[in-house]
Amino acid sequence: MSPEPPPPQLTPSPKAPESTPTPVPTLLEVLRALDAGPRGLTEGQAEERLGRFGENRVPATRDPSWARLLARSARDPFTAVLLCLGLVSAAVYAWGTASVILLLVAVSCVLRASGEHRADRSTADLRRLVATTVTVQRRADEASAPATREIPVEELVPGDVVRLGPGDLVPADVRLLRSTGLTVHQAALTGESAPVPKSAGESDPAGTDTAGTDTAGTDTAGTDTAGTGVFQQPHLCFQGTGVASGSATAVVTATGADTRFAAAHRRTGKPPATSFERSVQGVSWILIRFALLTPPLVLMANAALRGRGLETLPFAVAVAVGLTPEMLPVLVTTCLARGAALLARTHDVIVRRLPALHDIGAMDVLCVDKTGTLTQDRPVVDRALNAEGQDDPEVLRWAAAVAWWSLQLADLPTPDALDEALLTAADEDALMAYDGVTALPFDPARRLATVVVRAPGRLGTHTLITKGAAEAVLERCSLPDEERIRLRALAEAQAADGLRVLAVATAERPAGTRPHERGLTFRGLVTLRDDLVPTAAEALAGLAERGVTVKVLTGDHPGTAVRTCRDLGIPVAGVLTADRLDTLTDPELTELASRTTVFARCTPEHKTRITRALQTGGHTVGFLGDGVNDLPALRTADVGLAPRNATGVTRDNADLILAGKDLTAIGHAIAAGRHAGGNIASYLRITLSSNLGNVIAMLSAGLLLPFLPMLPAQVLVQNLCFDAAQLAFAYDRPAPSAPRRPTVLEPRALLRFIVGFGALNAVADLATFGVLALALRGPGDDEALFHSGWFTENLLTQAVVMVLLSLGARGTSGRRPGPVTWSAAALAATGLFLPMSALGEPLGLSRLPGVYYGLLAAVLTLYAAGLMTARARQERRSPVA
């Protein structure tokens, strides 16, 4: 007998757009679909369903083995180039070169594999965000009465009836059966800062979105109740959220992999390549083309013109190796590691994935949440207004009195965020002027809180004070219709300005009567705004100066987000809400995202889609988040950032960890990333242009000369000396005119650079032929002298290239010699003294005549002048190249 199919999905599919109108099943329809009832399942039904649906666990991704991680690392194009050249070097018995290259390949693969292994392990932390036990209502059999007991959350199945109370984590996706004063924190899924009211009624799932929208005990005009769609349905609660207040009984509709929590944080395929990875891959494919073309060209040209065959193969391989910057993995790792160590030591920024340091230097868009990043996750009082819209401190005193006596008389553990803001702003002595009599604490259904107080000296008369949602308070005031409309418009105007709005009303009542919230006298409005992070405005200005655009992705109301941006000086180019976003195609969103500053009412899926759209538009995107709801977008971004106090799984998936949600630290990370990226780019430009020039010259010389222009061993030693000298780029100091724009390794621009300067280098090498022809008219050892002369000239020209191209046309004065300058001097000394030393003879090098050095000095002078001229023209066209 085949098992019956699972019950239908009772909440909208996670893949469906959040704002798509979906028929909401009634409670009776839900229970029928689940084959359950309000009395709960029997033990036999629960056992059968546990076998059918499986345990209620967040699916864990099985970590790949070390062998698979190493194999994945070896598939990188640049690693493949080095691996192939190393194997070819071994095949022609160039053991020294083969050993160095293969060692670099091994180190690169191990480093990359270990980083991926650490990231993959973090997915197991998702389980820590789910409850461990749950109170369930079950029956022994059909005839038995239901009984409640605690069971492990893994044993929960669809159709179970569970009970929830304050502080409980919601163990699965549920549909409420009954509730009392229930509010739920949904930040794990939506990111909104305030608890959301929930109720079991069949209310309109669209909810409200006006100045009267309430959240956690008081009216929050600017705060949306989760954004849009399924999360806004008041009768549904979701796994991973938590009960803030109240209690409820609910029926489980989905468990395990079928929950919204699992869908929001499921890994879907391989993450996209980051900016750094895309750049290195582009450079690698350039090298692949050159490296694959060089040996065949050398062999065919020598065979056709000089009659030489396979004996030139070692020389061809040596030329191909000379074209490849073998030290790139070492230099990249050293540059990034030094930058990461400096950030950790001086700014408490931890870099968990080294390439992310380059990515943050290339970043031109930073996506942030509003709450906790731009604001301090707590409101502050903005103004207290009377009925005429004028400032009136008496209104604040009335509102604070309600907050104080509700806390005292209703035995509340702590005030909510808005009440705490009122108490902070109010005069403490004014609060003590009243004696509390009774309190009706906040009720999400009424959206009001009321207290009755007694003023000293007023025997027989009490004062009733009510505060709450503007709409709810105005309904209870004795007002003409036109006055009620005017006051409602006043409240809506404040809400439209991004403020949270509380209304206050009072009434005089005889002592001893029950609190009656009718016939009240309207007193005024209290507006509240989000408290800004003190360093945010300065940090945002610094990001703008560095060419980084900040975009706000929030689950809150758009008016609140716009108000925050305005207070911080962020120009708001456009506002896009989730319901509008869901109607856009991917190309439309890509075009609109670049021109939009605020994305409001965002769910995790929305944040991920926006991040991808920005990347598709050609931006390098960073994402700063701290909650589980930020995980999908944080993984998708080119560089993910998290504060140290973020949830564990978010912190483990981030590329950079900040000491706090201080955007100033991001500015320091950007500076370090651009410094490291600039040094890497300088290394690539100088190495590849110089190597290309040498290859062109060697190919030309091989066709012009009756002998090889340089022995394979000499090519490899020359290449080793140059690579060792260029490791100094990892320690170079940034120039005073450090780039203020993102540094990106653009393969086409790099190709134009190396072709232009490589051709100039080849001209200098070919000019050396004439010098050698003049200087070496001597005995019959022209071949050895030619090799020595060209060996010396190559190292000297490479030293000149290092100094002049690293400093630039405008940076040759006013700077003390740095690591690159000293390394270039050592390279030049090697070129001058190695041929005449004892090590020169085993390499086939010999002492050069003195006249050669004078002619070579003339060639180098002309070459330096040409380099300076070309560099000046190139910098005028591209100032940050």
Side-chain angles (χ1 to χ4, degrees):
M1 180 178 177
S2 61
E4 61 180 283
Q9 185 74 28
L10 299 175
T11 58
S13 169
K15 297 180 181 179
E18 293 293 348
S19 62
T20 302
T22 304
V24 180
T26 64
L27 178 57
L28 183 59
E29 291 172 337
V30 170
L31 294 176
R32 284 177 176 173
L34 292 167
D35 190 21
R39 300 174 69 223
L41 301 176
T42 65
E43 295 293 346
Q45 289 175 320
E47 184 177 354
E48 184 272 332
R49 295 188 185 196
L50 184 62
R52 179 159 34 117
F53 295 108
E55 292 187 336
N56 179 33
R57 294 178 182 272
V58 175
T61 305
R62 190 173 71 175
D63 293 344
S65 64
W66 271 102
R68 178 170 295 183
L69 288 174
L70 289 170
R72 185 188 304 169
S73 300
R75 290 202 305 265
D76 176 74
F78 184 73
T79 303
V81 171
L82 289 179
L83 184 60
C84 292
L85 291 175
L87 295 176
V88 172
S89 300
V92 297
Y93 306 108
W95 299 114
T97 301
S99 300
V100 172
I101 293 176
L102 294 177
L103 178 61
L104 292 175
V105 169
V107 171
S108 176
C109 290
V110 169
L111 290 176
R112 178 172 297 183
S114 62
E116 289 189 16
H117 178 65
R118 287 193 302 270
D120 289 336
R121 285 187 309 173
S122 65
T123 57
D125 290 342
L126 284 170
R127 300 179 185 177
R128 301 177 186 175
L129 298 175
V130 182
T132 55
T133 62
V134 61
T135 302
V136 67
Q137 180 177 295
R138 285 183 179 171
R139 297 170 291 156
D141 51 49
E142 292 287 353
S144 301
T148 59
R149 64 186 180 91
E150 291 282 324
I151 65 169
V153 74
E154 291 83 3
E155 298 179 9
L156 206 61
V157 296
D160 262 328
V161 174
V162 297
R163 294 187 178 182
L164 303 173
D168 287 345
L169 290 175
V170 179
D173 289 358
V174 300
R175 205 290 187 191
L176 297 178
L177 301 176
R178 296 180 298 277
S179 64
T180 302
L182 183 66
T183 61
V184 176
H185 283 292
Q186 294 192 151
L189 291 173
T190 65
E192 81 250 57
S193 55
V196 178
K198 296 286 185 177
S199 62
E202 307 279 359
S203 56
D204 180 8
T208 56
D209 187 23
T210 64
T213 302
D214 193 279
T215 55
T218 43
D219 180 50
T220 56
T223 303
D224 196 325
T225 60
T228 56
V230 65
F231 296 122
Q232 202 173 357
Q233 295 179 7
H235 51 277
L236 299 179
C237 296
F238 303 93
Q239 185 183 52
T241 62
V243 177
S245 62
S247 59
T249 302
V251 61
V252 175
T253 60
T255 59
D258 297 326
T259 63
R260 297 287 304 190
F261 182 85
H265 311 303
R266 186 181 296 122
R267 285 187 185 270
T268 55
K270 182 181 177 181
T274 65
S275 170
F276 181 78
E277 291 167 341
R278 292 193 298 269
S279 300
V280 170
Q281 286 173 5
V283 173
S284 300
W285 283 113
I286 294 174
L287 298 177
I288 288 173
R289 294 183 182 97
F290 277 107
L292 293 179
L293 285 174
T294 299
L297 285 176
V298 173
L299 290 175
M300 288 188 297
N302 279 274
L305 299 179
R306 294 295 177 183
R308 293 190 290 261
L310 290 178
E311 65 267 20
T312 61
L313 180 60
F315 174 72
V317 171
V319 172
V321 172
L323 179 64
T324 306
E326 297 94 334
M327 292 296 146
L328 180 59
V330 175
L331 185 128
V332 167
T333 302
T334 305
C335 278
L336 299 179
R338 291 188 72 247
L342 179 65
L343 282 175
R345 185 170 62 250
T346 59
H347 302 294
D348 291 332
V349 176
I350 306 302
V351 180
R352 297 187 66 252
R353 185 179 64 84
L354 283 182
L357 190 60
H358 173 274
D359 293 338
I360 199 170
M363 180 180 71
D364 62 339
V365 172
L366 175 64
C367 298
V368 301
D369 193 4
K370 176 184 70 68
T371 305
T373 303
L374 305 179
T375 63
Q376 297 196 73
D377 202 13
R378 66 170 183 263
V380 294
V381 172
D382 184 64
R383 297 176 68 188
L385 308 174
N386 60 21
E388 303 303 321
Q390 299 172 344
D391 291 323
D392 186 350
E394 187 68 20
V395 178
L396 175 60
R397 286 195 289 271
W398 289 122
V402 179
W404 173 256
W405 289 112
S406 293
L407 183 66
Q408 301 301 317
L409 299 176
D411 294 328
L412 300 178
T414 57
D416 67 23
L418 298 186
D419 281 353
E420 189 170 6
L422 295 173
L423 294 174
T424 301
D427 185 354
E428 185 175 343
D429 293 336
L431 296 178
M432 297 300 103
Y434 302 102
D435 292 328
V437 177
T438 188
L440 298 176
F442 175 78
D443 181 356
R446 297 185 308 118
R447 296 187 296 162
L448 296 171
T450 297
V451 299
V452 177
V453 298
R454 178 177 59 247
R458 298 191 62 193
L459 298 177
T461 302
H462 292 166
T463 301
L464 181 145
I465 313 171
T466 296
K467 75 169 176 67
E471 186 69 25
V473 172
L474 287 172
E475 287 178 357
R476 290 162 172 78
C477 292
S478 298
L479 293 168
D481 289 342
E482 59 274 12
E483 180 67 5
R484 196 185 313 276
I485 293 172
R486 185 187 69 82
L487 292 173
R488 186 183 296 119
L490 176 64
E492 290 174 352
Q494 299 299 315
D497 197 32
L499 298 170
R500 306 182 184 190
V501 182
L502 297 172
V504 182
T506 65
E508 300 297 321
R509 297 285 190 258
T513 59
R514 296 179 58 187
H516 181 58
E517 298 165 334
R518 293 293 175 184
L520 306 180
T521 300
F522 184 80
R523 293 295 182 179
L525 304 172
V526 177
T527 61
L528 302 99
R529 57 176 173 80
D530 289 325
D531 193 14
L532 303 177
V533 173
T535 60
E538 179 184 356
L540 290 170
L543 291 176
E545 290 179 359
R546 291 183 169 94
V548 178
T549 301
V550 174
K551 296 187 182 294
V552 180
L553 280 59
T554 179
D556 281 350
H557 188 283
T560 306
V562 171
R563 173 64 183 245
T564 300
C565 291
R566 188 170 68 243
D567 291 344
L568 290 172
I570 303 175
V572 179
V575 179
L576 188 64
T577 55
D579 52 355
R580 168 75 174 120
L581 188 151
D582 286 328
T583 66
L584 299 174
T585 63
D586 288 343
E588 290 172 338
L589 179 59
T590 297
E591 193 275 332
L592 191 58
S594 296
R595 298 185 284 106
T596 302
T597 303
V598 173
F599 300 85
R601 305 174 183 170
C602 290
T603 64
E605 293 89 344
H606 291 134
K607 294 180 180 181
T608 303
R609 191 176 172 214
I610 293 165
T611 302
R612 287 201 182 110
L614 290 167
Q615 290 172 321
T616 303
H619 298 285
T620 301
V621 183
F623 190 95
L624 174 61
D626 66 343
V628 182
N629 61 299
D630 296 320
L631 267 178
L634 188 130
R635 290 172 178 156
T636 302
D638 293 290
V639 55
L641 304 100
R644 188 170 295 171
N645 60 353
T647 59
V649 65
T650 304
R651 196 169 54 246
D652 288 343
N653 277 271
D655 300 314
L656 275 76
I657 308 296
L658 311 179
K661 278 191 175 180
D662 184 358
L663 297 181
T664 304
I666 299 180
H668 295 307
I670 291 173
R674 291 184 182 177
H675 177 200
N679 285 348
I680 294 170
S682 294
Y683 167 80
L684 283 173
R685 287 196 297 264
I686 294 172
T687 298
L688 294 180
S689 60
S690 181
N691 287 356
L692 178 62
N694 287 338
V695 167
I696 295 173
M698 285 184 183
L699 292 176
S700 302
L703 302 179
L704 296 173
L705 298 174
F707 50 83
L708 292 177
M710 197 175 291
L711 298 178
Q714 295 167 353
V715 175
L716 296 175
V717 169
Q718 172 190 275
N719 190 55
L720 181 62
C721 292
F722 190 33
D723 284 338
Q726 291 207 5
L727 288 177
F729 280 107
Y731 303 90
D732 195 25
R733 298 189 299 267
S737 56
R740 291 190 173 272
R741 285 189 284 172
T743 54
V744 181
L745 285 175
E746 210 283 309
R748 291 188 178 182
L750 177 63
L751 181 60
R752 289 193 298 269
F753 187 99
I754 64 176
V755 168
F757 284 89
L760 186 61
N761 182 271
V763 170
D765 284 345
L766 293 174
T768 307
F769 290 170
V771 170
L772 291 170
L774 293 175
L776 304 181
R777 297 176 183 236
D781 58 348
D782 287 354
E783 183 174 343
L785 289 175
F786 186 92
H787 293 161
S788 301
W790 202 7
F791 182 90
T792 298
E793 184 269 346
N794 274 336
L795 292 188
L796 290 177
T797 54
Q798 288 170 340
V800 171
V801 169
M802 285 180 61
V803 174
L804 297 186
L805 292 191
S806 65
L807 294 177
R810 297 186 294 272
T812 55
S813 62
R815 294 184 65 191
R816 291 182 302 170
V820 171
T821 303
W822 291 116
S823 182
L827 182 65
T830 302
L832 290 171
F833 296 109
L834 183 60
M836 63 183 69
S837 69
L839 296 176
E841 185 175 351
L843 293 174
L845 301 175
S846 60
R847 185 182 298 272
L848 291 163
V851 66
Y852 170 72
Y853 294 104
L855 294 173
L856 181 59
V859 172
L860 292 177
T861 301
L862 293 174
Y863 178 51
L867 273 180
M868 294 293 291
T869 302
R871 180 62 176 172
R873 291 182 58 188
Q874 192 271 340
E875 286 187 348
R876 284 195 297 269
R877 291 196 306 268
S878 179
V880 296

